[in-house]
Amino acid sequence: MTSHDEYVSVRYLVDDVQAAADFYTTHLGFTLNSSAAPAFADVTRGRLRLLLSGPASSGARATPKEAAVAGGNRIHLTYDDLDAEIDRLGGAGLTFRSEVVAGPGGRQILLADPAGNLIELFQPARRP
């Protein structure tokens, strides 16, 4: 691990640290940085460091019970070809939590990790 300023870190509470780490590294292009499963693992993609905290981790234990629900926030991953990514992930047996939504900024679809944390897959609108 290099300087802490090199990464933007987001903590996701997960039920199964190994399943979450496998999901992110297998399907979404993350690299395993460290693992202390079943309590904790962290994975990186670019400048994003995703902290996967299981029930035994200090991060999960410090979270009030009413705030320990998945889905309130989501990470945002950008793709050049959203349709190809949807096809690839669907072919791997993953299911989406929404249909594709289009707006002036681009197109997006929601995917959930094994614990129910949301991931937004996004393709920016093409600008002339």
Side-chain angles (χ1 to χ4, degrees):
M1 187 78 193
T2 58
S3 167
H4 294 289
D5 292 339
E6 185 176 340
Y7 293 99
V8 173
S9 296
V10 174
R11 183 180 309 279
Y12 268 176
L13 303 180
V14 299
D15 302 354
D16 183 329
V17 170
Q18 190 61 57
D22 291 345
F23 173 85
Y24 286 98
T25 58
T26 299
H27 300 296
L28 297 176
F30 282 76
T31 300
L32 182 66
N33 187 54
S34 69
S35 178
F40 173 83
D42 67 317
V43 294
T44 60
R45 177 179 162 166
R47 295 195 54 213
L48 173 61
R49 180 175 174 234
L50 191 55
L51 313 171
L52 304 171
S53 295
S57 71
S58 60
R61 291 192 320 265
T63 303
K65 188 167 187 76
E66 64 274 7
V69 295
N73 295 305
R74 58 189 182 227
I75 60 172
H76 174 99
L77 304 176
T78 302
Y79 294 90
D80 292 329
D81 186 345
L82 183 62
D83 294 323
E85 194 62 20
I86 291 168
D87 290 344
R88 184 184 72 78
L89 294 170
L94 302 182
T95 56
F96 296 91
R97 291 287 180 97
S98 73
E99 298 296 321
V100 173
V101 175
R107 299 169 58 235
Q108 66 179 349
I109 192 167
L110 297 179
L111 180 68
D113 73 11
N117 295 298
L118 293 177
I119 301 107
E120 178 182 319
L121 309 180
F122 179 79
Q123 179 179 342
R126 302 228 191 278
R127 303 283 184 221

